[in-house]
Amino acid sequence: MSLTLDTYRLLGRSGLRVSPLALGAATFGTEWGWGADRDEARKLFDIYVERGGNFVDTASTYTNGSSERLLGEFTRDNRESLVLATKYTTLRTPGDPNSGGPHRKSLFASVEASLRQLNTDYIDLLYLHVWDFTTPVDEILRGMDDLVRQGKVLYVAISNAPAWQVSRMQTIADLRGWSPLVALQIEYNLIERTGERDLIPMAREMGLGVVPWSPLAGGVLTGKYGRDDLTATNVASDDGTRKSVTIANGVLTEQNLAIVDVVKEVATELGRTPAQVGLAWTLQNPGVTAPIIGARTPAQLEDNLGALEVDFSASQLARLDEASATGLGFPHDMLTRDTTRRVTRGDLKIETRR
């Protein structure tokens, strides 16, 4: 069934309604060398909102703060109708160790900076951006709850953290009556599917809506890279382009390009683009609420939005799944074997619904 941006979904175990594709604003601003300038960013924002989109994602340090500042300008007339999500923990001031991290001092300072940059009185959704394995979880959760009680933040969430730590935090929040986490951001796409082992099942069990970042694997799933790029020697790793970042991150491999080949085949059959197929595939997972699209031009955004209209056949989904399959590992593989089922259930037929 085709979706539209105003086919709103509930985010996790909250009553918050969000669009099935979130607009990523990390491309708003040119400070990182590959983003959209103010006028292009404004076009991206307007296209998304005019189609019924209401879920916009940014962070306190995206494009050195320009992302939030531009959104503060663009949302001046329609702030109440939008769900603005931002993040904290990345270092805001080089040389100041307390200007980054998940701890209370960083949390409060970052939120105040975001409120100024976004030109708003409150943040709809605040993510802990990157886990640091250092800050006590009760310090984080209590700090987040304090901000909710103050009205500066409405909902809290987490990104880039181990499944066991997220589930532990959610349990503590429930037991202490603190604001629960309602969303989980993870990298998830046809090339990176390891979130299916624990993160996505955990999120469904604990009431967090999954919001995938990099659903096109840094652009690899658009089909714009080929085998020649595997041996590219003319791209500096620090030249600031998206291509150099993709190469440096090791996403361009023969195995991944083989997945892209299948994506292209399915796209041709459907009369769609590879990007639309890649995005639409993430929406097939019932645990996913809204992938984040990071378009840099209006043409890219229009193409991305076409993913909402993609309708796969069962055989096409099977081919995509087979080409990109990731082993779940222990204990998942063991627990799904027929021999294990017989040991735990015997001949009983038990229906499970989730």
Side-chain angles (χ1 to χ4, degrees), residues 253-269:
T253 65
E254 177 60 42
Q255 179 181 356
N256 291 345
L257 290 178
I259 296 172
V260 175
D261 288 340
V262 179
V263 171
K264 289 180 178 177
E265 292 171 5
V266 172
T268 299
E269 294 169 10

Side-chain angles (χ1 to χ4, degrees), residues 115-314:
L115 291 172
R116 289 192 298 270
Q117 292 180 160
L118 288 168
N119 191 32
T120 186
D121 296 326
Y122 66 95
I123 294 164
D124 294 289
L125 181 65
L126 177 70
Y127 289 94
L128 185 158
H129 200 167
V130 184
W131 189 251
D132 74 345
F133 297 94
T134 301
T135 308
V137 296
D138 54 345
E139 178 180 342
I140 297 168
L141 291 167
R142 180 56 192 267
M144 286 181 158
D145 186 65
D146 285 345
L147 287 168
V148 171
R149 292 174 186 272
Q150 292 172 15
K152 294 180 179 180
V153 173
L154 302 188
Y155 298 93
V156 293
I158 193 165
S159 172
N160 306 317
W164 68 269
Q165 196 65 272
V166 178
S167 60
R168 174 186 177 218
M169 293 174 73
Q170 190 75 316
T171 302
I172 291 173
D174 285 345
L175 290 173
R176 296 189 178 178
W178 292 339
S179 300
L181 304 168
V182 301
L184 172 71
Q185 272 200 31
I186 62 170
E187 183 179 7
Y188 183 59
N189 52 61
L190 275 163
I191 286 173
E192 176 51 75
R193 294 181 59 180
T194 54
E196 295 173 4
R197 293 174 179 165
D198 289 300
L199 284 162
I200 295 177
M202 176 278 300
R204 294 190 72 187
E205 187 74 20
M206 304 299 290
L208 289 81
V210 176
V211 181
W213 57 266
S214 194
L216 294 176
V220 174
L221 289 169
T222 66
K224 65 181 179 180
Y225 300 115
R227 264 73 180 178
D228 291 344
D229 293 303
L230 294 176
T231 57
T233 58
N234 59 340
V235 180
S237 61
D238 60 352
D239 67 356
T241 65
R242 293 297 294 272
K243 182 176 182 178
S244 67
V245 172
T246 299
I247 292 175
N249 286 341
V251 184
L252 278 176
T253 65
E254 177 60 42
Q255 179 181 356
N256 291 345
L257 290 178
I259 296 172
V260 175
D261 288 340
V262 179
V263 171
K264 289 180 178 177
E265 292 171 5
V266 172
T268 299
E269 294 169 10
L270 292 170
R272 296 288 179 176
T273 65
Q276 290 171 348
V277 168
L279 283 169
W281 177 86
T282 65
L283 288 165
Q284 301 301 306
N285 191 311
V288 168
T289 301
I292 300 171
I293 50 178
R296 187 178 53 82
T297 67
Q300 289 176 347
L301 178 58
E302 293 280 5
D303 181 70
N304 286 176
L305 295 180
L308 296 171
E309 302 169 359
V310 173
D311 191 9
F312 295 110
S313 69

Side-chain angles (χ1 to χ4, degrees), residues 4-23:
T4 57
L5 285 177
D6 57 1
T7 309
Y8 302 115
R9 298 173 162 187
L10 294 179
L11 183 61
R13 63 180 193 187
S14 76
L16 187 64
R17 283 82 163 170
V18 297
S19 294
L21 288 176
L23 178 64

